[in-house]
Amino acid sequence: LVQMNNGKFDKTKDSVVVRGDFSAWAGKEYLLNDADGDGIYTSTYDVGSVTNIIYKFVMIGSAGDRWEDSISNRTRDGLTGIPVTLPVVYFENDSIFVDMNDNGIIVYKYELSQNYPNPFNPSTSIMYSVKESGIVSLKLYNSIGQEVATLINGQMEAGNHTVQFNASTLSSGVYFYKIESGKFSSIKKMILLK
């Protein structure tokens, strides 16, 4: 199960599709549906005799298409040619990747998402997920490694979180934000254009 990094999702206006390389129909897309209202969007399509597919999910909304925030395409191996169901999960307006174990219990992962919008002026949102409760630090650095802002520094509960950042006092340029929690750390780049 995956969850897309899209910000707010309005069921009355927005839809979700899956796009990817699925044996001779690259560029096509399939609409996903939430038939029982449980927030799990699914679609079943025949991949023929393909044994490996690469795909991404995208939300089609009034603000335009928004791809899931993933470093690389998702790959599904070991297919047998039978129809496959790929779910996308939304938890209200949360927007960070989560896993679900065999018992259906949500398991959070340590994850730092790309800020949105990016480039931005002057405000942007940074979404992240914490696997376990603990001290979380989220700091911003300029292009030469100098710390310019501390966005978070304290105890956080496990789960999905979002921090709003206003860079009105900073000059245009490339910045880096780094999260640290326990043994987890991750860095991403953001661009401020004024």
Side-chain angles (χ1 to χ4, degrees), residues 139-142 145-150:
K139 296 182 178 182
L140 185 71
Y141 300 86
N142 61 21
Q146 296 173 320
E147 182 181 329
V148 296
T150 297

Side-chain angles (χ1 to χ4, degrees), residues 40-61:
I40 300 178
Y41 287 72
T42 63
S43 177
T44 301
Y45 41 86
D46 190 351
V47 296
S49 60
V50 175
T51 59
N52 177 72
I53 58 174
I54 299 173
Y55 62 93
K56 280 190 175 183
F57 295 102
V58 59
M59 184 183 79
I60 310 300

